[in-house]
């Protein structure tokens, strides 16, 4: 497949080496997991050829900036907040939805920044989180078996043969939906809406609850501090623009490959589908297609690590994905489960110290804590989420490494998908407003509650 150049008009064009270009298709000869069985592979190829020609969604300079910010996180100077839907949907890419998620992330970030006096790198599981790994290829309902839903970029959620048949033209819809989502995010975060002086307005529009009342108190303190600093001559116009990065799981290989461009400044490839791409727990095989492909792009790369991860698995991932030990290049997102984190994480943290590596460590307290209720709802207990985060901080304190961030499935809406929290959502309550097509998300209140708890942990680990 060809690879287009992402031309930076201010610089001379550096031609990539033939090995770099050829290497981008090496994954095709390797074992590959979780790819959709397209009914007509030539149709998928035609879509991929079209995607090679579309403009990039993100730019190399932005990706480099994120890598530098993540290098600060690895050094313990800042903290990452990564959040958003388990599976974004095309229908859900509305202005209200996007705004509520951005506001929730900004609110959580402010709680963390203020609580721990630390800069927070803000990343959405947004503008590209459209492809999902599945534990089974099929789903059976009332004796009818159809292909499993693999995310809007692959097939539809409706339980009909037509919707569930993988359709490659959905990759193009995914690109366009990511573009419009990112456009609005850029509008919000570059146009003044994310300005710290707007700290109160992010709380507006959400139903009153104990967590956002607590937030309102904190916003008042921030307001007072900002006014004091302004009066003392500080220039807060600097705070008008906020960096907000797009991230998603790099799963659908035809899409990720087609969105990869050569940076004209360096002749190196960047996956321009998002700033930060992570490899999931199910596709991180060291000899597999995903690890090979993402080892060849310049983006900061995340890898999910579940409770069965061995030191050997992790060390091999470091050597393949970050052979040059570039600060900020590699992030491990641990998702061990509340019961396993205290045993499973410390040996990995010890091992990186011996391996001259300083990855960013992020806690995903969601994916190791799934359960299904008797009434069939996929859910998580808020208490388990909190317990895993606490175990994550404890493990880092014990080993002397930096807890670098949290990765959460959340929405700005008042859904009822996770059990517990101050609202004490119970099994019956799940039926009220369960909207996720995939994993259960923290609602707006639970997200803020979690941010306050993490701010306390982070503050404690800094003291
Ligand atoms: C996810 O992040 O939605 C996911 C599927 O995670 P994991 O790869 O950790 O299971
Ligand atoms: Co999920």
């Amino acid at each position: 497949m060809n690879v287009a150049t992402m031309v930076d008009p201010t610089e001379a064009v550096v031609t990539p080496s033939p090995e770099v270009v050829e290497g981008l298709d090496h994954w095709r000869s390797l074992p590959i997991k979780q790819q959709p069985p397209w009914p007509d592979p030539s149709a998928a190829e035609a879509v991929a050829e079209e995607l090679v020609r579309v403009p990039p969604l993100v730019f190399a300079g932005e990706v480099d900036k994120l890598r530098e910010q993540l290098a600060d996180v690895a050094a313990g100077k800042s903290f990452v907040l990564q959040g958003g839907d388990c599976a974004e949907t095309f229908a859900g890419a509305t202005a209200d939805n996007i705004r509520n998620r951005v506001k929730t992330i900004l609110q959580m970030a402010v709680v963390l920044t203020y609580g721990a006096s630390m800069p927070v790198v803000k990343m959405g599981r947004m503008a590209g989180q459209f492809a999902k790994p599945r534990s089974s290829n099929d789903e059976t309902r009332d004796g009818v078996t159809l292909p499993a839903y693999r995310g809007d970029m692959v097939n539809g959620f409706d339980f009909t043969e037509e919707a569930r048949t993988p359709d490659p033209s959905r990759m193009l819809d995914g690109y366009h939906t990511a573009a419009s989502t990112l456009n609005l995010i850029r509008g919000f975060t570059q146009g003044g809406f994310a300005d710290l002086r707007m700290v109160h307005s992010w709380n507006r529009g959400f139903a009153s609850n104990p967590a956002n009342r607590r937030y309102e108190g904190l916003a008042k303190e921030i307001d007072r501090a900002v006014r004091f600093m302004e009066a003392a001559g500080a220039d807060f116009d600097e705070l008008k623009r906020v960096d907000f990065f797009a991230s998603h799981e790099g799963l659908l290989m035809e899409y990720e490959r087609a969105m990869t461009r050569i940076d004209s400044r360096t002749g190196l490839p960047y996956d321009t589908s998002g700033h930060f791409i992570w490899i999931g727990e199910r596709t991180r095989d060291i000899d597999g297609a995903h690890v090979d492909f993402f080892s060849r792009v310049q983006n900061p790369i995340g890898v999910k690590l579940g409770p069965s991860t061995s030191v050997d698995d992790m060390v091999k991932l470091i050597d393949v994905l970050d052979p040059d030990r570039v600060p900020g290049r590699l992030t491990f997102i641990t998702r061990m489960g509340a019961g396993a984190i205290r045993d499973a994480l410390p040996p990995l943290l010890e091992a990186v110290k011996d391996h001259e590596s300083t990855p960013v460590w992020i806690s995903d307290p969601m994916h190791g804590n799934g359960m299904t209720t008797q009434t069939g709802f996929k859910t998580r207990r808020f208490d388990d989420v909190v317990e895993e985060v606490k175990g994550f901080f404890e493990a880092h304190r014990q080993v002397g490494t930096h807890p670098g961030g949290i990765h959460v499935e959340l929405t700005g809406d008042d859904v009822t998908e996770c059990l517990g929290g101050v609202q004490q959502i119970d099994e019956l309550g799940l039926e009220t407003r369960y909207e996720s097509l995939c994993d259960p998300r923290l609602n707006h209140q639970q997200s803020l509650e979690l941010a306050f708890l993490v701010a306390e942990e982070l503050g404690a680990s800094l003291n």
Side-chain angles (χ1 to χ4, degrees):
M1 182 186 270
N2 286 329
V3 55
T5 303
M6 172 175 31
V7 180
D8 177 334
T10 62
E11 306 271 343
V13 174
V14 177
T15 317
S17 75
E19 296 83 72
V20 163
V21 173
E22 275 163 33
L24 291 176
D25 287 305
H26 184 59
W27 61 271
R28 296 181 192 278
S29 63
L30 300 175
I32 184 161
K33 288 187 176 161
Q34 296 284 346
Q35 301 307 290
W38 303 116
D40 174 5
S42 68
E45 275 163 40
V47 170
E49 287 301 335
E50 211 171 324
L51 283 169
V52 167
R53 292 191 297 271
V54 299
L57 291 171
V58 303
F59 295 90
E62 298 173 330
V63 171
D64 292 342
K65 189 174 183 187
L66 173 61
R67 195 188 318 100
E68 283 155 23
Q69 294 190 12
L70 290 173
D72 281 347
V73 176
K77 291 189 256 176
S78 89
F79 195 74
V80 181
L81 172 62
Q82 190 175 18
D85 288 328
C86 178
E88 288 181 283
T89 61
F90 297 161
T94 63
D96 280 357
N97 254 326
I98 295 165
R99 188 198 51 223
N100 282 350
R101 257 172 296 152
V102 170
K103 284 204 306 188
T104 304
I105 293 171
L106 290 174
Q107 286 188 294
M108 291 174 79
V110 109
V111 168
L112 289 165
T113 310
Y114 197 70
S117 299
M118 211 182 223
V120 172
V121 179
K122 292 165 270 296
M123 250 197 267
R125 274 178 73 111
M126 289 178 81
Q129 181 56 18
F130 296 120
K132 299 304 301 172
R134 302 316 306 238
S135 41
S136 167
N137 287 334
D138 303 311
E139 183 183 343
T140 301
R141 288 190 203 171
D142 302 328
V144 180
T145 300
L146 291 174
Y149 171 63
R150 288 184 176 274
D152 271 14
M153 199 138 74
V154 174
N155 56 3
F157 185 73
D158 286 350
F159 198 69
T160 63
E161 176 115 33
E162 196 194 347
R164 289 293 173 96
T165 304
D167 173 359
S169 73
R170 284 174 166 271
M171 288 194 279
L172 273 176
D173 297 335
Y175 166 80
H176 289 294
T177 310
S180 59
T181 303
L182 204 51
N183 185 51
L184 195 59
I185 293 176
R186 289 191 202 279
F188 284 148
T189 54
Q190 301 294 309
F193 178 70
D195 188 327
L196 203 53
R197 288 167 294 190
M198 302 287 279
V199 69
H200 283 290
S201 73
W202 306 335
N203 212 15
R204 258 175 239 140
F206 292 124
S208 174
N209 62 53
N212 66 16
R213 281 197 291 280
R214 185 168 172 197
Y215 173 86
E216 203 49 47
L218 182 137
K220 270 197 194 113
E221 281 179 40
I222 294 174
D223 236 12
R224 210 173 321 131
V226 167
R227 269 186 277 125
F228 167 73
M229 292 298 289
E230 271 185 320
D235 181 5
F236 276 90
D237 284 345
E238 279 293 306
L239 301 179
K240 263 202 170 121
R241 277 188 276 279
V242 166
D243 292 326
F244 194 105
F245 298 99
S247 70
H248 63 267
E249 176 172 350
L251 183 72
L252 196 52
M253 288 302 299
E254 284 297 354
Y255 180 77
E256 301 301 338
R257 167 62 184 88
M259 288 306 297
T260 297
R261 305 281 182 272
I262 300 296
D263 172 23
S264 61
R265 306 167 310 168
T266 57
L268 295 172
Y270 283 70
D271 183 345
T272 67
S273 68
H275 300 104
F276 177 96
I277 316 286
W278 76 85
I279 304 171
E281 165 75 356
R282 296 169 185 77
T283 49
R284 63 172 169 76
D285 308 54
I286 197 73
D287 300 320
H290 291 79
V291 168
D292 181 80
F293 179 73
F294 292 109
S295 74
R296 296 170 191 269
V297 297
Q298 295 296 303
N299 308 56
I301 298 297
V303 187
K304 292 282 199 92
L305 299 181
S308 62
T309 313
S310 67
V311 164
D312 189 51
D313 292 341
M314 185 197 64
V315 160
K316 285 186 177 141
L317 285 165
I318 294 173
D319 288 340
V320 171
L321 289 168
D322 186 22
D324 302 326
R325 306 292 191 266
V326 175
R329 155 72 177 174
L330 181 62
T331 295
F332 285 128
I333 306 169
T334 60
R335 29 88 87 221
M336 307 283 183
I341 181 101
R342 288 175 176 82
D343 294 326
L345 184 55
L348 300 180
L349 301 179
E350 291 285 2
V352 288
K353 286 209 294 195
D354 301 337
H355 213 65
E356 286 172 37
S357 173
T358 49
V360 170
W361 291 99
I362 294 185
S363 168
D364 163 1
M366 316 296 292
H367 288 91
N369 293 311
M371 55 181 272
T372 305
T373 64
Q374 283 191 335
T375 44
F377 284 100
K378 236 175 130 180
T379 189
R380 293 157 172 154
R381 284 196 192 90
F382 184 73
D383 287 351
D384 291 339
V385 170
V386 170
E387 200 45 39
E388 176 151 0
V389 170
K390 287 191 169 159
F392 173 78
F393 277 96
E394 262 173 53
H396 282 281
R397 274 197 288 269
Q398 184 188 324
V399 180
T401 39
H402 299 299
I406 53 165
H407 176 121
V408 255
E409 288 184 341
L410 59 81
T411 167
D413 302 325
D414 290 321
V415 297
T416 54
E417 297 173 3
C418 291
L419 296 167
V422 176
Q423 260 168 305
Q424 296 188 345
I425 296 173
D426 58 14
E427 293 203 12
L428 218 66
L430 292 180
E431 289 171 27
T432 326
R433 195 171 163 194
Y434 193 104
E435 295 176 3
S436 177
L437 299 193
C438 206
D439 292 334
R441 302 158 297 176
L442 299 182
N443 63 22
H444 178 252
Q445 156 149 237
Q446 290 166 330
S447 302
L448 277 184
E449 270 181 81
L450 182 66
F452 280 111
L453 280 157
V454 173
E456 281 164 23
E457 286 291 332
L458 189 56
S461 72
L462 293 173
N463 291 330

